[in-house]
Amino acid sequence: VGAWYREPLDLSNATLDCQLWLAYSCFDKEVDFTYLKTNYLISLIGSKFTGKLNMDSMKVGGSLLMRDGAEFEEVYLRGAKIGEQISMIDSKFTGKLNMNGMEVGGNLFMRGEAEFKEVTLLGAKIRGQIDMAGSKFRGNLIMALIEVGGNLLMIDEAEFKEVNLLGAK
């Protein structure tokens, strides 16, 4: 908690046997979690990422927490598998958020004071609900071919520029 990472952080291909908490910290360079595996939670709450955060093909048995005022530029979760939930409540994404082909065993929370630029969920599978209540999407929101097991909530003054739900289930 409260760390300042001035150099790249590379945990690609790592296997973690415990929770990973990188909360309320600053990351000046790229953070690489590609192919990281853990049965536990990963928490990035309140942290600021000024470089790319790459979580492609990551496998997390617990939840992925990216909430509580966290700030991100480019984020990649392509092909990631999250066993429980992803929470992006009240966070800010100023660059691309690519979640194509991602699988989430529970809910995807993108609600509250959250702000997003460009978001893609092409072919993603969310077993629970997607909650975007009150959020602001400043760029395109591409959810073509997405599968959602529960509700898709786009309510409570949520703002959208353009939404693509072609072939969504």
Side-chain angles (χ1 to χ4, degrees), residues 20-37:
L20 177 62
W21 284 77
L22 297 170
Y24 303 100
S25 297
C26 292
F27 299 84
D28 291 345
K29 304 285 184 179
E30 180 176 352
V31 175
D32 189 355
F33 290 169
T34 55
Y35 295 101
L36 181 143
K37 295 177 187 157

Side-chain angles (χ1 to χ4, degrees), residues 152-164:
L152 173 57
L153 303 172
M154 303 170 90
I155 58 174
D156 294 335
E157 300 181 21
E159 296 177 14
F160 301 91
K161 181 178 178 184
E162 184 175 324
V163 179
N164 179 338

